[in-house]
Amino acid sequence: MRNIWTIAKREYDQYFISPVAYVVAFAILLTVGVLFGINFYYYSANAYQNYGAVPDFSPVSGAFTFLLVLSTPALTMRLISDEARMGTLELLLTAPIRDFELVLGKWLGAMLYIFSVLAITAIYPVIISRFVQPGIDWNVILVSYLGMILLAGVFLSLGTAISAMFSNQIASFFVILIVLITLWWLIGFPASVIIGQGADLFHYLDMKTHFYGALDSGIINLSDIVYYVSLIALGIFTGTAAVEMRRWK
């Protein structure tokens, strides 16, 4: 556990000396902030027509997940591939560190970075709750944040796994981007054009269906949790296998 935490802390600190991490954080917070402001102004200006409806939080969570799909390749492409390119991966593999500890530590460091960015967005539900009576349903908000954390965990674990397969950051970037776009936008498309059990399979594999209308709406289904945790485990396992293959080359 100490090895995992040491690698995670080192990786977390690395993000804050990287301009990419600041650009990603700025893009996410700016976009989410602008959408929140527009949404909040709309509901405030039309409170009478909307019968005093509470501003919807889904634009914030939707924008965050959308930008997470596009920014994860930049955040994870160098995690292990850069170690391989610089030759430091061989040194790490000779240290008393297990392969899964290396992969898990890299993933955890990236998770801590995303968690830091996500924590800043918590100010938006606080603002909404401050201006509505008797306040907002915090259970819905907390479940929505749980969904965003699980999604980030999946994206980052898959990114870490793919980064372990390449020594070239650019190749790693594009493969991660293609995989995430496929899982987020494309894999659910066949479900709308075919019928039967095949459609059910593609519908289940569609990552969006486990977030929108479920966790994003404050609904916790065990199948959604199992789906995301399974993908996180798959990413960690694949990354560990890729590092182990490098060890035996």
Side-chain angles (χ1 to χ4, degrees):
M1 189 64 192
R2 176 180 294 179
N3 289 337
I4 295 172
W5 179 247
T6 300
I7 295 171
K9 186 174 182 305
R10 172 177 170 269
E11 202 59 47
Y12 180 71
D13 292 340
Q14 284 288 324
Y15 276 113
F16 290 95
I17 59 175
S18 165
V20 173
Y22 286 100
V23 170
V24 168
F26 178 76
I28 290 177
L29 295 175
L30 177 65
T31 306
V32 169
V34 169
L35 287 174
F36 171 79
I38 294 173
N39 190 52
F40 190 79
Y41 174 79
Y42 170 80
Y43 275 89
S44 301
N46 299 278
Y48 181 76
Q49 291 88 338
N50 293 329
Y51 302 101
V54 177
D56 191 3
F57 184 70
S58 60
V60 173
S61 58
F64 183 85
T65 53
F66 173 80
L67 293 170
L68 197 59
V69 174
L70 301 180
S71 60
T72 295
L75 294 173
T76 57
M77 64 179 181
R78 64 161 190 82
L79 282 177
I80 297 178
S81 65
D82 201 41
E83 301 275 10
R85 182 184 64 83
M86 297 177 64
T88 52
L89 183 59
E90 285 75 11
L91 295 176
L92 282 172
L93 295 180
T94 58
I97 300 174
R98 297 176 182 174
D99 296 341
F100 85 92
E101 291 178 329
L102 172 64
V103 176
L104 200 56
K106 293 282 186 179
W107 171 78
L108 183 59
M111 278 297 294
L112 290 174
Y113 167 78
I114 284 295
F115 191 78
S116 299
V117 176
L118 190 59
I120 297 174
T121 67
I123 191 174
Y124 300 130
V126 171
I127 292 174
I128 296 175
S129 186
R130 177 68 178 79
F131 285 91
V132 300
Q133 293 295 334
I136 61 175
D137 187 345
W138 279 101
N139 290 331
V140 175
I141 300 298
L142 291 176
V143 174
S144 179
Y145 269 93
L146 171 64
M148 287 188 280
I149 291 172
L150 287 171
L151 270 176
V154 172
F155 292 160
L156 295 176
S157 72
L158 295 176
T160 304
I162 295 170
S163 176
M165 300 175 188
F166 294 90
S167 300
N168 185 304
Q169 290 188 43
I170 303 302
S172 177
F173 176 93
F174 283 107
V175 173
I176 296 169
L177 184 63
I178 291 170
V179 169
L180 295 187
I181 287 176
T182 301
L183 288 175
W184 188 253
W185 280 300
L186 301 182
I187 201 167
F189 177 73
S192 60
V193 295
I194 62 177
I195 58 175
Q197 293 183 344
D200 295 337
L201 175 62
F202 284 107
H203 185 72
Y204 179 78
L205 293 176
D206 188 356
M207 205 177 286
K208 296 194 303 298
T209 62
H210 298 273
F211 183 71
Y212 294 120
L215 291 167
D216 190 42
S217 301
I219 301 170
I220 297 180
N221 294 317
L222 182 59
S223 60
D224 299 326
I225 303 297
V226 170
Y227 173 81
Y228 286 131
V229 172
S230 299
L231 283 180
I232 292 173
L234 177 64
I236 299 297
F237 173 79
T238 305
T240 302
V243 171
E244 190 171 351
M245 289 179 67
R246 287 180 178 275
R247 181 189 291 277
W248 293 106
K249 279 185 178 179

